[in-house]
Amino acid sequence: MGNKINPIAFRLETIKGSPEWLSSWFAGKKKYPLLLVEDKKIRDFIQKKLSSAGIVATRIERSTKKIKIILVVSRPGLVIGRGGKELEALKKDITKLMSKETGKQNIDIQVEEFKLADLSAKLIAEKIAFQLTKRMPYRRAVLSSMEKTMGAGAKGIKIVLGGRINGAEISRREKFSQGKVPLSTIKSKIDYAECPALTRSGYIGVKVYLCLG
């Protein structure tokens, strides 16, 4: 079961109130699909614009008159800018993405720093994907990331690559693991992320499973 379902969604019920809940709001049957698509647009826009800031998570909380967006990043200075100029520009860009009903609500953006970049599955996956696009040997990229993660205090890590690895004519899957990653245990805290590496030879999928205890 652990390899057939998203590890974060599988454990949401046991970790209520944790940062894993990326959206916190309630809506009726008519508004729900609109707000869901709006959240998707906001996250995609932020990921594209602030990719250099190392975005770990984008949490969205909605109330009747306010939308609160919490950005967890490894480089908060790039998001805030000098005197908060970049933050104000980000608010204006987000208001353009919102619909007529939600466009009148106040937008509050908070930035939280994520100090341990080696303990984020999303940042690890993006780093490996970037190194693969730069034609770095895949074994070196994966093993160096695993060593840094285990040195930072992780209990275990598993990385899965799938596609035309190293420019091979036939696609294949390769798994690398260190420590323990219990995917069938609900109580264990597992961070998961997947990221595509668009190399010259083709598409390589990168999946990272990170056990934090």
Side-chain angles (χ1 to χ4, degrees), residues 7 11 118-122 124 142-143 145-160 176-183 188-193 207-213:
R11 293 166 175 81
D118 292 324
L119 293 180
S120 169
K122 186 173 181 294
I124 294 170
V142 171
L143 294 177
S145 296
M146 293 173 71
E147 288 178 4
K148 290 179 181 178
T149 301
M150 295 300 291
K155 301 293 182 182
I157 181 173
K158 183 171 82 168
I159 298 175
V160 182
F176 305 85
S177 63
Q178 281 188 19
K180 295 182 179 180
V181 186
L183 297 179
S188 60
K189 186 175 181 181
I190 303 292
D191 191 14
Y192 169 77
K207 293 183 178 181
V208 177
Y209 301 82
L210 187 61
C211 180
L212 300 174

Side-chain angles (χ1 to χ4, degrees), residues 35 38-39 42 60-63 65-69 94 98 102-103 105-109:
L35 297 182
E38 197 172 274
D39 282 9
I42 291 173
I60 300 175
E61 300 176 3
R62 295 177 183 267
S63 60
K65 298 181 181 180
K66 188 178 179 181
I67 298 176
K68 185 178 180 182
I69 301 174
I94 290 176
M98 302 173 72
T102 58
Q105 296 177 335
N106 295 325
I107 299 176
D108 180 24
I109 300 178

Side-chain angles (χ1 to χ4, degrees), residues 25 27-40:
W25 45 266
K29 291 183 179 179
K30 293 183 179 179
K31 284 189 176 181
Y32 183 84
L34 297 175
L35 297 182
L36 189 66
V37 172
E38 197 172 274
D39 282 9
K40 174 67 174 170

Side-chain angles (χ1 to χ4, degrees), residues 166-185:
N166 210 21
E169 293 185 2
I170 301 174
S171 63
R172 67 180 189 274
R173 261 176 111 215
E174 285 202 26
K175 298 180 182 180
F176 305 85
S177 63
Q178 281 188 19
K180 295 182 179 180
V181 186
L183 297 179
S184 338
T185 307

Side-chain angles (χ1 to χ4, degrees), residues 95-113:
T95 51
K96 296 177 183 178
L97 298 173
M98 302 173 72
S99 61
K100 294 181 180 179
E101 297 180 359
T102 58
K104 299 178 181 179
Q105 296 177 335
N106 295 325
I107 299 176
D108 180 24
I109 300 178
Q110 295 183 4
V111 181
E112 295 182 2
E113 184 180 3

